[in-house]
Amino acid sequence: MIHKRLNRKKTNPATAIFTGKQIMDRVHIHLFQYNEKDCIENSLLNEPDFNGFGNDHDRFWLHVKGIHDTDTIKSICNKLHIHNLVIQDILDVNQRPKFQEFEDYWFFTIKSFVPTDGESIEQEQLSFILGKNYLVSFQERNAAYFNHIRDRLRNNTGIVRERGTDFLLYLLLESILDNYFITLSQIEKNINEISELDLSSDPSPEIISTIEKRKKQLHHIKKAILPIKEFIGKIERENFNFIHEKHIKYYFELKDLCLTLLDECDQMELILESKTNLFFSIQGHRMNQVMKTLTIVATIFIPLTFIAGIYGMNFLNMPELSWRWGYPLAWIIMLAMALIMLIYFRKKKWF
């Protein structure tokens, strides 16, 4: 599949280009301003009404759904003094998940997968900008990944209000990884349906097409998980200003989730590979059986054709042609030869 790619040969390098497909009718901006005691929510925020984050005492979570409107995304980022390269990375949905550290903030992208009709999965990119007391998240579609986190903020459930935005980022990443498990469960269900098919009877070539489709889905998921694992490994090795030491253990938990997901992908790939090998083994066995049958038939008819060829030459000095019982005798000889050869092949268990 050929995706829309970012053309970097631009006359104006400040021009932002959205490389995805518009999914939502308009951009939805949702803002939480919270601390240990209070939480203010604004779910009907318009871009002109957003002027950055007012103070350093509260914590802020700005969530943007729909990134097709490049002017709106650029305006929001400019108000937060976000670099133009980050803006373009937010809008370039076909790139590999990545992590970049800037002086005043982090930038991080991740892929999410959603099962659709039970056979296919949809992919979207989510981007995060983590600052000292704020977190900005960008989402392509109106998917309900974070509803439970919003409820925690509204109802002051758990410790999310007590912790910084780095803990909030952990919760968002955990929610996305949890959605990976849902996607893998659907793929596993589809693989089990393949396993229930009787491949020994008459395997259809469509099975291979289905298996290859599942392999491709698992490959895309593994390709999206590995950068998350690399990002968390970077946290293990280096010290970052935006991650509190008491929260590092939560990010290690994300690494465990990534390893579990990768293990499940590997196991499913092994199952699919074994199904592929079984399919071709059965097809090869069936082909061998057909070729063996055709070889036996051809072997039986070779001497019969030889006899028929000799007495079909019609030379004048062939005494057998004038025999009264020549024709029946030729039939008896040919049938006897065929019967003897069949008995011999059967004794050798060639069929």
Side-chain angles (χ1 to χ4, degrees):
M1 180 182 295
I2 300 177
H3 298 284
K4 180 183 177 183
R5 293 293 178 184
L6 175 62
N7 181 12
R8 300 188 181 273
K9 297 179 180 179
K10 298 181 290 187
T11 304
N12 183 3
T15 302
I17 300 175
F18 175 59
T19 62
K21 180 181 178 181
Q22 181 175 346
I23 300 173
M24 301 184 62
D25 55 346
R26 67 181 184 87
V27 178
H28 296 262
I29 305 174
H30 197 142
L31 176 64
F32 277 99
Q33 178 180 349
Y34 63 95
N35 53 44
E36 294 181 13
K37 297 180 179 179
D38 301 315
C39 179
I40 302 173
E41 179 182 2
N42 190 342
S43 59
L44 300 174
L45 187 66
N46 294 316
E47 179 272 322
D49 300 328
F50 175 70
N51 294 309
F53 306 118
N55 61 72
D56 296 332
H57 306 292
D58 293 333
R59 304 175 187 99
F60 300 88
W61 175 26
L62 181 69
H63 185 64
V64 181
K65 293 181 181 179
I67 59 175
H68 59 277
D69 189 341
T70 57
D71 292 334
T72 298
I73 302 301
K74 187 174 181 180
S75 176
I76 293 173
C77 291
N78 286 337
K79 292 174 182 178
L80 297 175
H81 307 291
I82 304 300
H83 198 280
N84 283 334
L85 289 176
V86 173
I87 298 174
Q88 188 56 75
D89 285 338
I90 293 172
L91 298 172
D92 185 9
V93 300
N94 298 316
Q95 66 175 330
R96 183 179 184 267
K98 64 187 298 184
F99 166 75
Q100 284 182 295
E101 184 184 12
F102 293 85
E103 184 177 353
D104 299 323
Y105 58 89
W106 278 4
F107 172 67
F108 182 69
T109 63
I110 187 175
K111 301 292 184 182
S112 179
F113 296 88
V114 182
T116 54
D117 56 0
E119 292 294 327
S120 59
I121 57 176
E122 290 184 351
Q123 172 183 298
E124 71 167 313
Q125 176 172 291
L126 293 97
S127 304
F128 303 95
I129 298 174
L130 176 66
K132 181 179 179 181
N133 68 326
Y134 68 86
L135 175 65
V136 184
S137 52
F138 298 89
Q139 187 175 351
E140 283 188 75
R141 62 182 73 240
N142 189 22
Y145 302 134
F146 311 132
N147 285 346
H148 65 292
I149 301 176
R150 296 188 183 96
D151 289 337
R152 292 187 194 181
L153 287 170
R154 295 184 189 111
N155 303 322
N156 197 15
T157 305
I159 60 174
V160 59
R161 281 205 207 168
E162 303 171 8
R163 304 301 177 94
T165 50
D166 57 332
F167 182 77
L168 178 62
L169 176 61
Y170 153 73
L171 292 177
L172 300 184
L173 295 178
E174 181 188 45
S175 177
I176 295 172
L177 289 178
D178 185 66
N179 202 69
Y180 275 73
F181 282 102
I182 297 174
T183 304
L184 285 180
S185 296
Q186 181 61 51
I187 296 177
E188 184 178 20
K189 180 181 177 182
N190 294 331
I191 292 175
N192 291 335
E193 291 176 356
I194 297 175
S195 301
E196 292 174 358
L197 298 176
D198 187 8
L199 296 180
S200 61
S201 57
D202 187 16
S204 170
E206 294 180 358
I207 296 176
I208 287 295
S209 177
T210 303
I211 290 175
E212 291 302 317
K213 182 179 179 181
R214 302 290 169 246
K215 284 184 179 180
K216 187 175 181 180
Q217 290 173 346
L218 291 172
H219 171 73
H220 288 320
I221 291 176
K222 289 179 66 176
K223 187 178 178 182
I225 294 173
L226 286 173
I228 307 173
K229 180 173 169 288
E230 293 173 5
F231 160 64
I232 300 170
K234 198 175 181 68
I235 294 177
E236 284 183 305
R237 296 187 301 269
E238 304 177 21
N239 294 323
F240 292 104
N241 297 329
F242 301 114
I243 297 290
H244 291 84
E245 186 176 352
K246 62 182 178 181
H247 294 155
I248 291 179
K249 58 180 176 291
Y250 295 106
Y251 283 86
F252 290 170
E253 181 67 20
L254 293 181
K255 182 179 179 180
D256 291 338
L257 291 178
C258 290
L259 293 174
T260 302
L261 287 168
L262 291 173
D263 287 342
E264 290 195 11
C265 288
D266 290 338
Q267 290 176 7
M268 292 184 195
E269 284 182 335
L270 286 175
I271 294 173
L272 292 174
E273 190 65 31
S274 66
K275 293 298 177 185
T276 302
N277 294 336
L278 177 61
F279 175 85
F280 285 113
S281 296
I282 293 173
Q283 291 290 79
H285 177 71
R286 288 171 57 84
M287 180 62 67
N288 289 337
Q289 290 296 109
V290 172
M291 293 302 298
K292 184 167 65 174
T293 302
L294 293 177
T295 301
I296 290 174
V297 172
T299 303
I300 292 174
F301 273 89
I302 286 174
L304 307 186
T305 305
F306 174 74
I307 294 173
I310 290 178
Y311 292 105
M313 292 186 293
N314 295 325
F315 287 118
L316 293 177
N317 296 322
M318 292 183 68
E320 295 88 348
L321 296 178
S322 59
W323 289 357
R324 179 178 179 182
W325 302 103
Y327 177 72
L329 183 61
W331 266 108
I332 292 173
I333 293 173
M334 288 189 290
L335 291 176
M337 291 181 65
L339 181 61
I340 292 171
M341 293 178 72
L342 282 173
I343 294 173
Y344 178 78
F345 293 153
R346 186 65 178 176
K347 187 176 180 180
K348 291 290 186 180
K349 298 182 179 180
W350 289 358
F351 68 93

